[in-house]
């Protein structure tokens, strides 16, 4: 008999499957699936690269006849429309699955409750919302894009304990250690685009490519580099070239990138760009790499340039979702509701 605790256990297994394809499914969502047969056998699947089978189909193919009467767990509501592949709900119904457990409803206008409704209409028992908060975190970039039409904006900063991102001479290499820097490359690999200001390009001449990071599954290295975006003009000979140049309102940039299928935008700096996104209320997630180091004065570069909140009542407040140690440093993730 499958109970609530078992539902959570198998949904966590589905989430683990989804995590293995985070870098290969975009712009499609990274979804995991588990089919639990009547005899207790477990069959697993995850979304393939665009154009390939979805997670539910992968698991059903492995289950074959054992899918009849089984319970299927999927992190995201199964699709009910024909895209590059046929509807997953049709395959689930035809396989004779008795019960479907869904982590979170798909906000895509082509799905948005239709998948669950089709299953119920066919006599399949449907349970929704199992581990919904955890799955919302796992699929945050996809969900933000489908709900707003814009990318999920992640602002990454490497800081001293007293809140500085660079010394008075402008140097910032290196505030954090190797483990934190490698994790920042993981975050860059998970982002479809990365943005910096033209001032950062002139000062640091960054590459903005993915390095020092090896994904758990085989993903072509060339496919990990995000679209490089510069606010302003790219100086001649800069290593960031070719890059997408943008001048003007940053909300227009987000609309443009969202239309290009960019699910996650990583804001890398510098302080003026960070302050611009922060004050506009456009940051969904702050990823702070905090080093056990102190500037010890008031002449360095603070994390955000420009005017901050004038009163305590006007502070931007979020919530901690994780605090992890990376070598000698801490990674602190804060999300802000919009």
């Amino acid at each position: 008999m499958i109970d609530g605790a078992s539902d959570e256990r198998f949904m966590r297994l589905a989430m683990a499957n989804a995590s293995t394809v985070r870098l290969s499914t975009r712009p499609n969502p990274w979804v995991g699936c588990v089919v639990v047969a009547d005899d207790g056998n477990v069959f697993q699947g995850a979304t393939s690269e665009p154009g390939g089978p979805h997670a539910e189909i992968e698991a059903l193919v492995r289950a074959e006849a054992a899918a009849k009467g089984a319970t299927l767990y999927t992190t995201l509501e199964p699709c009910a429309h024909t895209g590059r592949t046929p509807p997953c709900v049709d395959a689930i119904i035809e396989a004779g699955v008795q019960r479907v457990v869904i982590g979170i409803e798909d906000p895509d206008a082509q799905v948005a409750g239709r998948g669950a409704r089709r299953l119920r209409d066919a006599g399949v028992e449907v349970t929704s919302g199992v581990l919904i908060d955890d799955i919302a975190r796992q699929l945050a970039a996809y969900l933000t894009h489908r709900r707003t039409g814009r990318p999920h904006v992640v602002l990454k900063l490497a800081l001293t304990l007293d809140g500085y991102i660079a010394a008075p001479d402008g140097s910032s290499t290196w505030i954090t250690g190797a483990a934190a820097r490698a994790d920042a490359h993981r975050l860059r690999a998970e982002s479809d685009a990365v943005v910096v200001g033209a001032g950062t390009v002139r000062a640091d001449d960054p590459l903005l490519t993915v390095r020092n990071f090896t994904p758990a599954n085989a993903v072509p290295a060339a496919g990990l580099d995000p679209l490089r975006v510069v606010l302003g003009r790219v100086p001649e000979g800069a290593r960031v070239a070719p890059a997408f140049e943008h001048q003007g309102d940053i909300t227009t940039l987000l609309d443009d990138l969202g239309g290009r299928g960019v699910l996650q935008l990583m804001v890398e700096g510098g302080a003026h760009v960070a302050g611009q996104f922060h004050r506009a209320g456009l940051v969904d997630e702050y990823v702070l790499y905090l080093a056990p180091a102190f500037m010890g004065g008031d002449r360095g570069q603070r994390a955000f340039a420009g005017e901050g909140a004038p009163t305590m009542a006007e502070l931007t407040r979020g919530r901690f979702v994780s605090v992890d140690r990376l070598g000698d440093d801490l990674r602190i993730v804060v999300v802000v509701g919009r």
Side-chain angles (χ1 to χ4, degrees), residues 44 123 142 179 213 226 249 301 323:
Q44 304 179 52
Y142 171 78
F213 168 67
D249 188 63
Q301 177 65 67
V323 179

Side-chain angles (χ1 to χ4, degrees), residues 129-169:
V130 175
L131 297 183
I132 186 171
D133 292 337
D134 293 336
I135 292 169
R137 280 289 304 142
Q138 185 177 56
L139 284 171
Y142 171 78
L143 298 173
T144 298
H145 182 267
R146 291 302 190 270
R147 289 167 178 161
T148 68
R150 291 177 174 176
H152 185 76
V153 178
V154 177
L155 174 59
K156 167 255 175 182
L157 292 167
L159 300 157
T160 64
L161 273 177
D162 48 351
Y164 290 93
I165 63 171
D169 65 357

Side-chain angles (χ1 to χ4, degrees), residues 151-157 181 183-196 208 226-227 229 257 262-269 273 277 285 287 289:
H152 185 76
V153 178
V154 177
L155 174 59
K156 167 255 175 182
L157 292 167
R181 297 199 301 272
D183 190 74
H185 278 273
R186 172 199 58 80
L187 186 61
R188 191 182 285 175
E190 292 178 353
S191 300
D192 306 284
V194 56
V195 62
V196 297
L208 300 183
L227 171 69
V229 181
L257 293 176
V262 171
L263 303 186
Q264 180 166 297
L265 172 66
M266 182 178 178
V267 180
E268 288 221 40
V273 173
F277 275 88
E285 186 172 331
V287 179
Y289 296 97

Side-chain angles (χ1 to χ4, degrees), residues 2 19 32 96 111 130-131 146 173 217 229-231 278 286 292:
I2 294 179
S19 69
V111 188
V130 175
L131 297 183
R146 291 302 190 270
T173 307
N217 58 336
V229 181
V230 176
L231 298 184
H278 172 77
Y286 296 77

